[in-house]
Amino acid sequence: MGTLTVRNVDDGQLANLAKTAKLNKRSVSAEVRELIAESDRKRQVEEVLANIKRRRERHPIQLARGEDAVSLIRAVRDEE
């Protein structure tokens, strides 16, 4: 595991972080680790969504004339 040292943190922000950590029943260090993990999870979700968007743009769904998403969902549902 790596070690992180953060310098010149605003006193008010550090106090708010300490309050948040206390509310979450964590140490300040554990709260920072959770913030880093949450940021990483968000980044991963954003990457997945960007990949989905790119794939949808490259391979758009082409519906038959008069067909819509509802009719497709019903057809799949009725197959089961």
Side-chain angles (χ1 to χ4, degrees):
M1 294 251 171
T3 300
L4 175 68
T5 302
V6 181
R7 292 180 177 81
N8 301 322
V9 177
D10 179 78
D11 290 336
Q13 291 175 334
L14 185 57
N16 288 337
L17 179 63
K19 287 177 191 175
T20 301
K22 187 174 182 177
L23 288 171
N24 290 328
K25 297 182 168 85
R26 291 193 275 252
S27 66
V28 171
S29 293
E31 191 67 26
V32 169
R33 285 192 299 273
E34 180 58 31
L35 289 170
I36 292 168
E38 181 180 336
S39 174
D40 192 46
R41 286 189 297 271
K42 278 184 177 180
R43 182 193 51 77
Q44 289 175 10
V45 167
E46 288 169 1
E47 284 179 12
V48 168
L49 292 175
N51 284 335
I52 290 170
K53 183 178 179 182
R54 280 194 300 276
R55 288 176 190 227
R56 289 178 73 186
E57 288 170 353
R58 280 186 296 206
H59 308 287
I61 296 174
Q62 303 207 349
L63 300 175
R65 193 165 185 58
E67 194 171 40
D68 62 4
V70 173
S71 62
L72 289 176
I73 292 168
R74 286 183 178 141
V76 169
R77 180 195 62 204
D78 293 343
E79 287 176 6
E80 294 178 353

